[in-house]
Structure formats: C-alpha cells, structure tokens
Amino acid sequence: RSSDLAAGGRLWGRVGALSGALAVTAGAYGAHGFRHSDRNEYLKELYATANHYHFLHSLALLAVPHCRRPLLAGSLLTAGMVLFCGSFYYQAITEDPTFTKAAPIGGTALILGWAAMAL
C-alpha cells in the first residue's frame, strides 16, 4: 500500500514537470508570437493570465508528492489548470468565448487543490 502511495505521489511530480515544460513553451509563444499579433489587449492579457496561473500551479504540482493526499490534491490542481488556464488560452487564441464558463469551475478546483494539500 505504501509503495502504491509513493508511486502515485511520484506521478504528480512528473505531471507537474511536464506541465511546467508546457507552461514555458506557452510562455515563449506568448512572448515571441502571440504578444506581437494583432489581437486586442484583452486577449493578450487573458493569454498572459492563463500562462501565469499555468506556471504557478505546475510548480504547486511538484509539491503534491509531499502532501498527505496526493491523489486528491493533484487531481484538483490538474483539473483546475485544464479548466481555468485551458479556457483562457482557448479564448485568447481563437477569440471564441465558448468555454469561458469553465474558468470559475477551474478556479474553484485550484483553490480546493491548495486546500487539499493542507489536509
């Protein structure tokens, strides 16, 4: 049982590392491509916000293996990043606000993910 928990914890460290690599990639695109596009300032700010939260929560995932409930915390943080950051990235890139309503759900999952790390 303890080896299963350790393996599960390591999984979230790997997810955090991969997410961090994606956040750096998205940040590079934002700085060198998207920022210089003809998108309006709101969409550029939306992209920057998505990238900021993506990066911060990727780092938080690296700490998940050290908490008492790694499956709960890692799942909430990952779902929160997908819903919150993903909906912002999507709208910024496509100018389609279809998934904007997912952002508050994702934000709530991020908050709960941090709280789960404290359990």
Side-chain angles (χ1 to χ4, degrees):
R1 172 99 174 118
S2 64
S3 65
D4 289 343
L5 289 174
R10 284 193 301 271
L11 167 71
W12 294 113
R14 288 186 173 117
V15 170
L18 290 172
S19 180
L22 288 172
V24 171
T25 303
Y29 171 69
H32 300 290
F34 191 78
R35 186 171 59 116
H36 299 292
S37 71
D38 60 353
R39 296 293 195 323
N40 68 46
E41 289 305 311
Y42 172 72
L43 295 175
K44 291 176 184 178
E45 182 180 333
L46 202 59
Y47 189 93
T49 299
N51 190 242
H52 179 80
Y53 277 80
H54 183 182
F55 211 113
L56 287 175
H57 290 88
S58 295
L59 293 173
L61 276 173
L62 296 176
V64 164
H66 304 287
C67 74
R68 290 177 51 195
R69 304 252 169 116
L71 180 61
L72 178 62
S75 297
L76 286 166
L77 288 170
T78 301
M81 281 194 294
V82 168
L83 293 170
F84 184 82
C85 303
S87 66
F88 281 10
Y89 280 136
Y90 179 81
Q91 183 179 353
I93 291 168
T94 67
E95 300 184 38
D96 177 6
T98 300
F99 299 112
T100 307
K101 291 179 182 174
I105 297 165
T108 301
L110 292 173
I111 293 165
L112 293 173
W114 282 100
M117 288 177 64
L119 295 177

